[in-house]
Amino acid sequence: MIVEVKREMENVLKLASTPRYCEEEQRSNLISMISVIAIFLLLIAQSSFAQKKSKNMNDKQIVIYQLLPRLFGNKNTTNIPYGTIEQNGSGKFNDITDKALDGIKELHVNYVWYTGAIAHASLTDYSAYGIKVDDADVVKGRAGSPYAIRDYYDVNPDLAVDVKNRMKEFEALVKRTHAKNLKVIIDFVPNHVARSYHSYAKPKNVIDFGAKDDVTKSFSAQNDFYYIPNQPFVVPTNGQKTPLSILQDGRFDENPAKATGNDAFTASPKYDDWYETIKLNYGVDYQNGRQNHFEPIPPVWTKMRDILIFWTKKGVDGFRCDMAEMVPIAFWNWVIPQVKTVNPDLIFLGEAYNPQVYKQYLEEGKFDYLYDKVGLYDGLKRLIRNEPSADVKDVRHVWQVESAGFGKHMLRFLENHDEERIASAGFAGKAELALPAMVVSATLGSGPVMLYFGQEVGEPGKGAEGFGGDDNRTTIFDYWGVPNHQKWMNGGLFDGHKLNAAQQNLRAYYKQLLKVTSTSDAVVNGEIYDVPQAGNMNNRMYAFIRYSGKQRLLVVANFDRNQTLEANIEIPDHILKVKHSSPVTDLLTDRKLNIPAGTSIPVTLGPVSAQVIEF
């Protein structure tokens, strides 16, 4: 059809060159015809692309594996609190070998999120390579936060074997990842930058953030930052001494002070503010009723677009957008379609916490996926921890109300760099207590599901590593070795031979679950049916059916610590008509269930366990 329209357009253009079409009115009509045809062609092309993209994105579930290269490849087990890179070591891009990627692929992962790849503020000295040493008063930890970006156009020198060739080592990692048929996600941190931001690696003609700002104005739509005129920045303190105190003098040269990343418009941010960062200005005047000044386009918009395109051209396949809701939705609406003209298959994943605006950020903001944190994650965490308020109605509310109609755009997870480790003392204390929740996370919707490195081997996040403290998390601020993960890594063999039996079984469970869900037509393309309470089901037991024209799955999760679930699950007529499987099988164990054909499925499920039954 496109060929026919093109041919018709050529005929119209030929007519335009003949004398009888030289009259002004006729020429105007002709131009209108050409415009209509051009628009028609564009719509067809977009429709064709949308169909192609939809097929590419929906043939299997997206499974994301998040890792910090600094931690993932580190074989050093010294683990001195606040230790230097020389003492505690650091993983490198080169440590993520073919063997490592094979091990990740075993979990049926298809996207790898490399957290902390872009250069951020740290206390390690790279002045020999032309990089100014950062000030300890505005760096969190010795390794620094991956979300305090020091140079958007550079990669973290900690991650390079040969620091001079650090970008080439990153590019080689991207190629290795792609060679394994895996895609690459990196962080895009649009809301704030490190207080010491300066790009040494920017391309020619790129103007650095703040270089042309009028620092006498607290707000100007043409400024990159917000200012507190005539007031110098005051370094906050919590009064505690650490091994880094000898590097801190309580001063940082910033006059006038800039607003802090978490919208603290003061020269004296608090210690629990994001004091190590400065807020970027997208044209929103926060101190005057949040007035928007989006015309003309603020300079930050175009700078950020160019940064996204820079990394897209490096082969990056997706961006996890940090604190997406702190950046105006108009920017996302403007920038995402532009970047996707470079690679239409890019995915944009937004860190989001306000269910009231989820739909707006997906539809108007053009995001592909958003975090399902305050809905599903928080509800499942209560169930895993066996809290008094835990109730499976929270799970039901997520898909029936909170994300009804767009559940396939919600990313489900039980761990990431911000959250407590499941096996930590402060969360569940035992990784296996989360398996029913992981089954629900992976099967409730057709959107992405995510693992955090070490989750699959029960990493406990134990110990006070440095700035992170003993907070049940794996530090992102410090140089550190991650013990259970290192057992799987086995000195770079990535064969798991140092894992104990329980850790091996846990990894095998994740592997089997994600094998089932990532290739399941019912999960990827199917509908969901809420199973009414039956038998002795209580508020810590949940069942639902996922079904498509090709497959039917009954998912049963028992979060109860003591009681066995016993119920006869009635299957409604409209689902019974769907193609069935024989024999009935528990897909998590590949065990054939001796269940006679009929209109119901008897289920007996022990405490803290789950089944995915194909019937």
Side-chain angles (χ1 to χ4, degrees), residues 264-277:
F265 293 87
T266 172
S268 305
K270 298 187 296 294
Y271 190 76
D272 57 359
D273 284 325
W274 304 346
Y275 65 85
E276 81 281 20
T277 68

Side-chain angles (χ1 to χ4, degrees), residues 407-457:
K408 65 182 179 181
H409 295 286
M410 303 305 293
L411 168 74
R412 273 68 192 254
F413 57 86
L414 295 182
E415 285 191 358
N416 64 40
H417 67 279
D418 284 321
E419 307 301 340
E420 294 177 309
R421 289 287 194 176
I422 296 163
S424 68
F427 191 153
K430 187 179 179 182
E432 288 76 10
L433 291 173
L435 293 180
M438 191 63 213
V439 170
V440 172
S441 289
T443 56
L444 189 67
S446 57
V449 61
M450 185 172 77
L451 301 181
Y452 186 40
F453 84 106
Q455 176 183 344
E456 73 279 13
V457 292

Side-chain angles (χ1 to χ4, degrees), residues 98 101-102 105 172-182:
D98 287 338
L101 293 168
D102 286 338
K105 278 201 74 170
L173 173 60
V174 172
K175 288 180 181 177
R176 277 198 306 282
T177 308
H178 287 164
K180 294 295 182 181
N181 200 28
L182 294 164

